[in-house]
Amino acid sequence: MNTVLKTAHISFDGLDQEDVVDRIRADFPALSLTVNNHPLVYLDNAASSQKPIQVIERISRYYSTEHSNVHRGVHDLSQRATEYYESSRDIIRDFIGARSRTEIIFTKGTTDSINLVAQSFARPILNPGDEILVTHLEHHSNIVPWQLVCQQTGAELKVVAIHDDGSIDYDDFEQSLSERTRLIAIAHVSNSLGTIIPVKRIISDAHGLGIPVLVDGAQAVPHMQIDVSDLDVDFYCFSGHKMYGPTGIGILYGKEQFLEKMPPYQGGGDMIESVSFAGTTYNDLPHKFEAGTPNIAGAIGLGTAAEYMNQIGFEFISEYEAKLLERATDRLSQIEGLRFIGTAENKASVVSFLLRDSHPYDVATLLDKFGIAVRSGHHCTQPVMSRLGIPGTVRASFAFYNTMDEIDVLAESLQKSSRILFS
Amino acid sequence: MGPKATISEVGEEIVEEFNFFEDWMGRYEHLIDLGRSLSLIDNQYRTDDYRIRGCQAQVWLRASFQNGNIVFTADSDALITKGLVALLVRVLNNRKPIDVLNADLNFLDKIQMKEHLSPTRKNGLDAMIRQIRLYAVGFMQTSQAS
Ligand SMILES: Cc1ncc(COP(=O)(O)O)c(C=O)c1O
């Protein structure tokens, strides 16, 4: 359960939503940038979000007056750095509702977390003919680590089908489960289409058959309150940089019962208890998985980012982002020849689309001229693009600091781009 | 017919043409029109052998050597890239290898399109220019050997 930080809401009393967003925007220096002579409209949040001044200043303060290596020194600075680093772990534990701080491993990010589980959890238990289950929607980061471990062990990667609207085919999921399934690895939210996957149901069905589940939460954590205990998920992975925190830091949540049994992923300092050439004994959780000097500033900044999100509150975030999505869907559907890619009923605030027969690159290039940052291409999800028979999409992804006006600017600029491209 | 315009003369011609437009929208519309009028690469050459991988957009480029000059045909699947490809073909087509190698492509800067040549754009243009130069070097060696 998420407990500690529930109370720390910024006082938004008496402010309407627009004023709240104005206040929030003032925290993000990058949002006042000018790009190509236009005020920046930043709609590439799914790739990486901008950072609030609180996070920036926290990192700056750490490097200015609090820096030393962690876990090693008896001196005051080292003690302090360790304290902040470890208290950030507590913040994250609470942020995702984990039971124990030993279940929170600092990694480089989602990709690193998934690779850790592939090598340290999956590899030792996989035998030839065993199966790992993913879906057709996955990010390459939730495909390639499993392909690697399959090559190493002779296991097979099985892929759950999706419907044309970007939702997963639940019948196919159920049929894909077999007595050889050793692990299910699935996104919580699709980064290219925005589909929210019913992971709670998947986890419960999988557990019914004794199969553990890893959830790639990279695109979920920025948008919704995650409670790993309530989900009963076995591994949950996410990145700091998509949730208003620093790059190069992320989290692997793992149930203690699994983490305890897993061998270390990398060897080095901090992960050991004692080393001799006769043999090495490993440190306790979570340090067993944090070899070498960690990204201390990143971890501390991530804690601040989580606190920042807590202060805004997930109630506001979900409610407001749903409005942004609704507005975008409404405005963009009025553009002639615009086709949405990914129309599942349950979606995070992401719209993927194509404009007539134009190449996503052209649309993104023209939008950039209007100061709008969107992403074009396959979004590291080539399998889903080939499944839908398209080379890629234009993707606009929204954060709680985006405004309704920005969505109107997007729609108007798309109209103008359409005129430039098809006049 | 007078003597053929040099590469820099054609470049200047393009700059004047683009100067006619007041804003970037006009310039991009014109660029896209130019791309549309580019004679497409023959379908048999629209293959991986002639493809320049750009990640985002793809470019196809073929060169042949005729009467001491290089003849380029090219195409792209994105319109903006195709327009830029058309401009490059317009200045560099039917030139001696040495002229292609020494070509001054500053006109792209003057029409404010140079940003598209950055390798970080991943649109294949930067790789296309490298490929054009490689062809020029190759044909220069061929012609010297014979
Ligand atoms: C769904 C999903 N999984 C994994 C990743 C990889 O995250 P990172 O690059 O931070 O490791 C991303 C990032 O784009 C993503 O969207």
Side-chain angles (χ1 to χ4, degrees):
Chain A
M1 290 298 291
N2 317 64
T3 45
V4 180
L5 289 151
K6 272 292 167 51
T7 49
H9 277 253
I10 300 173
S11 173
F12 288 149
D13 294 349
L15 293 179
D16 61 19
Q17 233 163 28
E18 227 169 282
D19 294 332
V20 173
V21 174
D22 278 349
R23 277 242 204 130
I24 292 171
R25 288 181 72 82
D27 287 336
F28 289 81
L31 297 180
S32 351
L33 288 172
T34 298
V35 167
N36 289 325
N37 301 318
H38 294 273
L40 168 66
V41 175
Y42 190 76
L43 304 179
D44 195 18
N45 295 288
S48 201
S49 62
Q50 296 300 336
K51 317 303 170 202
I53 192 71
Q54 289 83 344
V55 170
I56 298 165
E57 283 179 350
R58 185 67 196 85
I59 293 169
S60 166
R61 176 152 61 92
Y62 166 73
Y63 276 127
S64 307
T65 59
E66 300 166 358
H67 171 71
S68 179
N69 211 332
V70 291
H71 300 143
R72 304 198 185 157
V74 293
H75 60 81
D76 182 70
L77 261 188
S78 174
Q79 291 290 322
R80 255 196 286 167
T82 306
E83 196 180 299
Y84 293 131
Y85 178 75
E86 289 303 328
S87 75
S88 183
R89 197 189 306 277
D90 293 324
I91 294 169
I92 298 300
R93 182 205 66 71
D94 183 68
F95 184 66
I96 60 168
R99 289 196 178 83
S100 163
R101 65 192 316 282
T102 56
E103 299 179 316
I104 306 294
I105 316 287
F106 286 120
T107 64
K108 287 187 286 185
T110 308
T111 306
D112 193 31
S113 300
I114 296 173
N115 276 284
L116 193 163
V117 176
Q119 291 303 315
S120 198
F121 174 74
R123 191 173 177 176
I125 62 166
L126 288 175
N127 289 306
D130 283 348
E131 291 165 3
I132 292 175
L133 204 58
V134 296
T135 78
H136 224 117
L137 281 175
E138 303 309 320
H139 188 280
H140 295 165
S141 290
N142 198 28
I143 298 175
V144 184
W146 308 117
Q147 288 176 327
L148 286 172
V149 76
C150 284
Q151 277 167 15
Q152 289 158 345
T153 59
E156 279 169 44
L157 193 59
K158 289 189 75 177
V159 184
V160 176
I162 57 166
H163 297 297
D164 289 343
D165 68 357
S167 59
I168 69 157
D169 181 338
Y170 212 87
D171 293 337
D172 190 61
F173 165 69
E174 284 173 336
Q175 282 157 24
S176 304
L177 294 169
S178 81
E179 71 279 4
R180 301 306 302 264
T181 313
R182 294 287 167 267
L183 179 72
I184 297 166
I186 192 167
H188 198 163
V189 171
S190 150
N191 66 305
S192 48
L193 308 181
T195 318
I196 301 175
I197 312 295
V199 290
K200 192 166 176 182
R201 182 175 167 201
I202 288 175
I203 292 163
S204 148
D205 288 354
H207 285 177
L209 300 167
I211 304 166
V213 180
L214 172 143
V215 173
D216 166 359
Q219 297 294 342
V221 175
H223 301 293
M224 56 184 87
Q225 175 103 62
I226 303 302
D227 190 327
V228 292
S229 302
D230 178 54
L231 288 173
D232 197 23
V233 66
D234 302 288
F235 297 102
Y236 199 92
C237 312
F238 58 101
S239 300
H241 68 98
K242 293 180 199 283
M243 52 165 286
Y244 314 97
T247 56
I249 189 80
I251 296 293
L252 169 65
Y253 159 82
K255 278 187 187 161
E256 201 171 85
Q257 66 190 90
F258 293 118
L259 294 178
E260 278 292 357
K261 291 198 198 104
M262 286 158 58
Y265 174 46
Q266 292 177 325
D270 244 15
M271 53 75 70
I272 43 87
E273 188 183 66
S274 72
V275 176
S276 76
F277 286 108
T280 293
T281 48
Y282 305 125
N283 203 338
D284 292 336
L285 287 175
H287 310 291
K288 180 170 84 173
F289 292 107
E290 294 176 4
T293 299
N295 182 353
I296 307 166
I300 293 174
L302 180 60
T304 306
E307 284 179 321
Y308 185 82
M309 289 187 76
N310 275 330
Q311 285 182 1
I312 299 215
F314 277 97
E315 210 173 305
F316 176 85
I317 294 173
S318 332
E319 203 177 293
Y320 181 67
E321 289 185 350
K323 281 191 191 165
L324 288 170
L325 178 64
E326 197 186 314
R327 172 89 146 217
T329 309
D330 175 58
R331 288 288 190 277
L332 267 54
S333 61
Q334 291 166 24
I335 295 170
E336 202 194 319
L338 186 140
R339 176 160 69 103
F340 289 109
I341 308 295
T343 51
E345 203 173 311
N346 272 323
K347 274 182 61 176
S349 53
V350 172
V351 287
S352 241
F353 58 89
L354 289 170
L355 196 54
R356 296 212 225 168
D357 59 350
S358 69
H359 197 289
Y361 177 81
D362 287 325
V363 177
T365 301
L366 294 176
L367 288 178
D368 176 56
K369 302 296 285 182
F370 291 107
I372 303 175
V374 295
R375 188 140 291 233
S376 60
H378 54 63
H379 318 297
C380 292
T381 55
Q382 279 174 333
V384 73
M385 295 299 144
S386 33
R387 159 66 181 79
L388 300 173
I390 51 177
T393 70
V394 184
R395 179 188 71 187
S397 49
F398 311 110
F400 52 65
Y401 50 54
N402 289 123
T403 65
M404 299 295 162
D405 285 348
E406 286 182 316
I407 287 174
D408 295 349
V409 172
L410 170 68
E412 284 155 26
S413 306
L414 274 168
Q415 294 280 18
K416 288 180 193 158
S417 303
S418 185
R419 255 174 264 142
I420 296 171
L421 286 166
F422 305 111
S423 64
Chain B
M1 240 172 62
K4 190 167 132 186
T6 64
I7 288 180
S8 28
E9 281 165 356
V10 179
E12 277 313 307
E13 199 180 288
I14 290 171
V15 173
E16 274 172 39
E17 206 174 288
F18 273 79
N19 275 345
F20 176 76
F21 300 97
E22 277 171 17
D23 58 13
W24 70 266
M25 285 189 259
R27 287 197 297 276
Y28 274 72
E29 256 175 60
H30 183 57
L31 183 75
I32 286 162
D33 279 346
L34 292 175
R36 285 221 173 82
S37 61
L38 176 71
S39 65
L40 299 182
I41 200 165
D42 210 82
N43 244 344
Q44 62 171 316
Y45 302 120
R46 228 182 137 132
T47 61
D48 275 359
D49 283 349
Y50 295 97
R51 186 160 72 111
I52 292 165
R53 274 160 223 271
C55 180
Q56 287 262 345
Q58 303 186 50
V59 173
W60 292 268
L61 173 72
R62 181 170 180 270
S64 58
F65 201 41
Q66 296 170 16
N67 306 322
N69 288 334
I70 314 179
V71 176
F72 291 108
T73 44
D75 199 358
S76 172
D77 58 352
L79 288 172
I80 292 170
T81 317
K82 196 166 164 184
L84 290 154
V85 167
L87 289 178
L88 288 168
V89 169
R90 186 161 142 201
V91 288
L92 299 176
N93 198 23
N94 245 319
R95 304 278 177 194
K96 293 193 176 54
I98 184 73
D99 293 337
V100 169
L101 271 180
N102 293 333
D104 169 8
L105 300 177
N106 233 343
F107 74 94
L108 286 169
D109 205 5
K110 291 190 189 153
I111 63 171
Q112 296 168 49
M113 294 288 170
K114 196 160 186 188
E115 63 200 49
H116 294 288
L117 300 190
S118 152
T120 53
R121 287 256 164 176
K122 302 214 164 135
N123 58 11
L125 281 172
D126 145 80
M128 176 187 172
I129 291 178
R130 248 182 294 135
Q131 189 59 43
I132 284 174
R133 297 220 157 97
L134 282 177
Y135 274 126
V137 171
F139 288 130
M140 198 147 69
Q141 283 163 353
T142 321
S143 59
Q144 278 162 358
S146 60

